[in-house]
Amino acid sequence: RREIFNVHLKPLKINASLDIEFLARQTPGFSGADIANVCNEAALIAARKNKTSIEKQDFLDAVDRIIGGLEKKNKIVSLHEKKVIAYHESGHAAVSWLLEYAHPLIKVTIVPRGNSLGAAWYLPEERQITTTEQIMDEICAALGGRAAEKLVFNHYTTGAGNDIEKASNIARKMVCEWGMSDKLGPLSYGKKEEQIFLGREFATHKDYSEETAKNIDEEIMAVVMRNYERAKKLLGDHIDILHKIAGELLVKEVLNGTEIDELIGEAL
């Protein structure tokens, strides 16, 4: 990514202090086309601000726009909603920081973008294989926002919808595809399609019994609930960290990974 940045930055007038290594770290999973878009968008942002060169913040704003969409400055968010969003995203940040195998946090924000009111962005580790413990930590981190809502406000919101879907999908893959359930064993459970007539019709059926289907549902629920309870316990045991991050997020609206490390260091 660093080398791709060097290619696309050549025709641009960038600030001498710009750290290209830093830009490469802020764009995990970006393709060459994505990096080209970041450079073009950063140039446009700098031009709108009448700058003579493109600075670090222009690139960060460009990455935010490409990942999260346009900033919704006209979206009205009440003070209570903003506080709930701050604690939700802080829950993700705190849980992921406290877990051994969770992906490192790049940034957490409560600035509305696209369809999102806030987000926590991570730097995925490039793994060839993934262990059960690593997957469990990923599910736990995904449920950190919902756990924070329950701990602080004692109610649930619709803001955790995507997180719950993510956690459920990962848990289902653990049970049905990866054979990570001791109860169901190292078997693959899925749907099979059989061709009926000249490729025009297909009959779909499950390759397991209703009793097995019930066991699958119970195992998926057990995985999700185990990690939800784990997230709540982590936050309950380190509630000062949650309050610290949320308080700072309400003031600054955006915190990077380094700032979160410093805040947690102060709270511990």
Side-chain angles (χ1 to χ4, degrees):
R1 293 196 299 274
R2 181 179 62 250
E3 292 172 357
I4 295 171
F5 264 111
N6 281 326
V7 170
H8 292 294
L9 290 174
K10 280 182 180 178
L12 302 179
K13 187 174 182 181
I14 61 175
N15 190 282
S17 63
L18 184 66
D19 183 357
I20 299 174
E21 182 76 26
F22 173 80
L23 295 181
R25 291 197 304 270
Q26 299 303 305
T27 49
F30 277 43
S31 66
D34 293 330
I35 291 173
N37 287 339
V38 168
C39 293
N40 291 335
E41 188 63 38
L44 291 172
I45 291 170
R48 292 190 198 105
K49 296 177 180 177
N50 296 318
K51 293 183 178 180
T52 56
S53 64
I54 311 171
E55 300 174 347
K56 173 183 174 180
Q57 189 59 48
D58 301 319
F59 282 98
L60 293 177
D61 292 342
V63 171
D64 289 350
R65 180 167 179 175
I66 289 172
I67 293 178
L70 286 171
E71 183 177 340
K72 296 295 183 68
K73 294 182 179 180
N74 60 343
K75 184 169 284 189
I76 299 174
V77 180
S78 70
L79 290 176
H80 177 70
E81 287 175 328
K82 189 174 182 180
K83 186 176 181 181
V84 172
I85 296 165
Y87 271 96
H88 180 102
E89 301 305 337
S90 298
H92 287 305
V95 170
S96 63
W97 196 93
L98 292 165
L99 292 171
E100 182 178 359
Y101 298 112
H103 296 307
L105 190 72
I106 296 176
K107 178 184 296 185
V108 60
T109 174
I110 57 172
V111 176
R113 287 184 179 276
N115 296 322
S116 173
L117 296 175
W121 297 334
Y122 301 90
L123 177 63
E125 294 181 3
E126 297 178 6
R127 301 166 179 160
Q128 301 304 314
I129 58 173
T130 307
T131 66
T132 303
E133 292 77 14
Q134 290 167 336
I135 297 169
M136 286 292 201
D137 278 5
E138 187 177 348
I139 295 173
C140 188
L143 296 170
R146 166 55 64 90
E149 292 177 6
K150 181 63 176 175
L151 277 174
V152 177
F153 304 101
N154 196 30
H155 62 223
Y156 302 127
T157 75
T158 56
N162 289 337
D163 302 328
I164 292 170
E165 182 180 4
K166 177 183 177 181
S168 301
N169 287 340
I170 296 173
R172 182 170 294 278
K173 287 183 177 181
M174 289 181 70
V175 174
C176 296
E177 296 181 25
W178 302 329
M180 291 180 172
S181 165
D182 292 334
K183 182 177 181 180
L184 292 166
L187 296 172
S188 175
Y189 300 94
K191 292 182 178 181
K192 291 184 177 178
E193 292 183 343
E194 291 183 351
Q195 186 171 324
I196 300 301
F197 180 70
L198 299 178
R200 294 184 181 180
E201 295 182 13
F202 290 86
T204 302
H205 70 275
K206 294 178 180 177
D207 61 355
Y208 47 83
S209 67
E210 289 302 318
E211 181 65 25
T212 300
K214 178 183 176 183
N215 289 333
I216 288 172
D217 290 341
E218 289 175 352
E219 283 292 275
I220 292 169
M221 181 181 294
V223 169
V224 173
M225 292 307 298
R226 189 184 312 143
N227 283 288
Y228 174 58
E229 293 300 327
R230 190 156 68 111
K232 283 200 298 183
K233 186 176 189 310
L234 275 172
L235 292 177
D237 292 344
H238 300 87
I239 196 69
D240 290 347
I241 289 176
L242 181 64
H243 290 319
K244 190 85 173 178
I245 298 173
E248 195 72 7
L249 201 52
L250 284 167
V251 175
K252 293 186 175 180
E253 295 191 330
V254 178
L255 296 172
N256 61 40
T258 301
E259 290 173 318
I260 291 171
D261 287 344
E262 292 173 354
L263 286 172
I264 292 176
E266 294 172 3
L268 288 175

